[in-house]
Amino acid sequence: MLAAALVAVIGLQSGPAFAAAPAACVANADTGCIGGTLQNSAGPVEGVTITVTDDDGFEEETTTAANGTWSVAIPERARYTVELDESTLPTTAALADTAENPVEKLAVAGASSTVDFNLVLDATPNAGGSTSATGTVTPTRLLQQFALGIRYGLILALAAVGLSLIYGTTGLSSFSHGEQVTLGALLTFVFSIQLHWPIVLSVLAAVILSALSGWLQDIVLWRPLRRRRVGLVQLMIVTIGLSLALQYLFQFQFGGSTLQVLPSIAKAWSVGPIRLSIPSYIAMGCATVVLVGVALFLQRTRTGRATRAISDNPALAAASGIDVDKIIRLVWILATGLAGLGGALLALAFNGASWDLGLQMLLLMFAAVTLGGLGTAYGALIGSLIIGVVVEMSTLWLPSSLKFAVALLILILVLLVRPQGILGRAERIG
């Protein structure tokens, strides 16, 4: 039922991308599209002029529809300049940062690329020439940013829980875990765009292959190193080397641009004052279901209890008859599968995948795990939700370029008060 709903509401194979805009662009084998949705906390913004140009003389102008959507057909792969005419904005809307207009976007025929301008309500110019929403924070904007924070936090939790399980069972801080997120996103692009699979099958295939990569890593790399009793510092350096190797491999294979994973621009739904794209709602629902499933697995199954026993005391768990190597291998499979799912859902929610997607999330994953308590899966979930909400809501008062720094600052402040994290256990040293 979920699969059918996903295909139906996104409408990847039939129908226009926008119900209220009959002239909307639909990508095909010869034509690509650039489009987006223009809105602020008051709702969609209609009648705004947007111009798309390239260096070879291509120029196309369009205006936003009643639901805030716009799109332009592009003939070939090129780097396009997308410019919003600020003079056509209504008096209730303004760009959050005028430095972000125009936008450079690499787009290709056969796929749709998304460009969204960040608008604020009743913004006032500041001395730097940009606009700021300070002093105009409304309950509607608070709810909207809170919803965005929950969305990001749930997706972040998928990767962070896996990272926490790896640390809990092996003591290893895996710096290559971010590349598992990237792998899930890029595999979704390959299956969805290059192989033209339905989006549901694309996500499932990406998750399965991501999980298999964890199985392969443990067989080829981690188990032999464990048996040689290689220290944790050396293992951590190996993860750093693996991370760099995978990053360069992804960049070589897929290039440095952002790749669109949906052939058309998805519609959006409004739930009260909150407006998100349909893939965002589905990503949040999938993440919630999977996280509940992981919690039930850890609490209700024999394997889950064995996993928690190894996290508490590996030597005692081995003495009680638990096959530690088997459980650790299962943890690697589960952790990489969760990270791949996180990458796939992130790519769907933002309609974009890039070679450094996981690298951008890595510090936030570590922050979530540390904030929640090292080695505790539930702590990673709580930490991820806190980090996600802080990251998104900080943009109400600060430039978006500082939102990740704010999250790390919150981490430092919490650890000064509670060094073991929210759900971590205090340990006696010395």
Side-chain angles (χ1 to χ4, degrees):
M1 182 177 295
L2 179 61
L6 177 59
V7 174
V9 296
I10 297 180
L12 298 182
Q13 303 300 328
S14 64
F18 312 114
C25 172
V26 178
N28 55 44
D30 301 317
T31 304
C33 302
I34 297 179
T37 302
L38 205 62
Q39 62 181 6
N40 59 12
S41 58
V45 180
E46 182 183 5
V48 178
T49 301
I50 295 176
T51 306
V52 180
T53 59
D54 71 1
D55 294 336
D56 295 329
F58 173 84
E59 182 173 347
E60 188 73 26
E61 185 178 283
T62 187
T63 57
T64 57
N67 62 352
T69 58
W70 62 273
S71 64
V72 168
I74 50 104
E76 60 184 357
R77 175 187 173 93
R79 185 166 292 278
Y80 294 88
T81 301
V82 183
E83 184 170 8
L84 182 149
D85 185 353
E86 296 182 54
S87 65
T88 60
L89 285 170
T91 57
T92 57
L95 284 169
D97 188 351
T98 56
E100 296 179 356
N101 181 39
V103 174
E104 299 288 332
K105 186 72 174 182
L106 180 66
V108 298
S112 295
S113 301
T114 302
V115 175
D116 287 323
F117 293 94
N118 186 17
L119 298 185
V120 294
L121 181 66
D122 294 330
T124 55
N126 60 30
S130 61
T131 59
S132 171
T134 304
T136 63
V137 177
T138 63
T140 298
R141 290 194 62 202
L142 284 171
L143 287 174
Q144 177 69 23
Q145 292 305 117
F146 182 78
L148 293 176
I150 294 296
R151 179 189 66 176
Y152 192 73
L154 286 171
I155 297 175
L156 179 66
L158 290 172
V161 166
L163 184 64
S164 182
L165 288 173
I166 292 174
Y167 179 85
T169 54
T170 67
L172 174 64
S173 298
S174 177
F175 282 83
S176 61
H177 200 65
E179 277 53 62
Q180 296 297 145
V181 176
T182 306
L183 180 64
L186 293 177
L187 286 175
T188 303
F189 162 77
V190 170
F191 292 122
S192 175
I193 300 300
Q194 295 186 341
L195 300 182
H196 307 290
W197 287 16
I199 191 63
V200 175
L201 291 181
S202 299
V203 172
L204 289 176
V207 173
I208 292 171
L209 289 180
S210 296
L212 287 176
S213 73
W215 172 78
L216 183 63
Q217 284 181 51
D218 189 63
I219 288 180
V220 175
L221 196 58
W222 307 121
R223 185 179 181 186
L225 290 176
R226 287 198 307 271
R227 290 192 167 185
R228 291 177 178 270
R229 299 187 182 279
V230 175
L232 289 177
V233 174
Q234 292 93 322
L235 288 176
M236 185 176 64
I237 293 174
V238 172
T239 67
I240 295 174
L242 179 62
S243 172
L244 293 174
L246 290 175
Q247 287 175 36
Y248 290 129
L249 178 62
F250 293 150
Q251 188 178 29
F252 175 78
Q253 183 65 34
F254 295 97
S257 61
T258 299
L259 306 169
Q260 311 301 314
V261 300
L262 297 176
S264 61
I265 300 171
K267 294 179 287 187
W269 275 348
S270 294
V271 179
I274 298 171
R275 183 177 177 83
L276 298 174
S277 66
I278 294 175
S280 292
Y281 288 115
I282 295 174
M284 293 167 68
C286 290
T288 301
V289 170
V290 171
L291 289 169
V292 170
V294 171
L296 293 175
F297 164 76
L298 292 174
Q299 292 289 343
R300 302 292 179 86
T301 67
R302 179 177 298 178
T303 304
R305 289 192 290 269
T307 302
R308 291 189 290 121
I310 293 174
S311 297
D312 291 336
N313 193 322
L316 183 59
S320 64
I322 296 175
D323 189 338
V324 175
D325 271 341
K326 181 180 178 180
I327 295 299
I328 290 177
R329 179 165 299 171
L330 179 63
V331 166
W332 275 104
I333 294 172
L334 179 61
T336 52
L338 288 173
L341 177 61
L345 295 182
L346 191 69
L348 287 180
F350 292 93
N351 194 15
S354 62
W355 67 275
D356 61 344
L357 179 66
L359 178 63
Q360 298 172 14
M361 293 181 63
L362 184 61
L363 280 180
L364 295 183
M365 282 189 277
F366 277 116
V369 171
T370 307
L371 181 61
L374 290 172
T376 62
Y378 298 118
L381 170 59
I382 293 175
S384 297
L385 291 175
I386 292 174
I387 292 294
V389 171
V390 168
V391 162
E392 294 296 343
M393 296 198 70
S394 65
T395 60
L396 291 169
W397 300 278
L398 298 172
S400 58
S401 58
L402 293 178
K403 62 183 182 180
F404 292 156
V406 173
L408 298 177
L409 177 61
I410 294 297
L411 168 66
I412 294 172
L413 295 176
V414 170
L415 292 182
L416 286 174
V417 178
R418 188 176 174 82
Q420 70 270 31
I422 296 174
L423 297 184
R425 293 176 298 181
E427 297 182 3
R428 182 180 180 89
I429 300 177

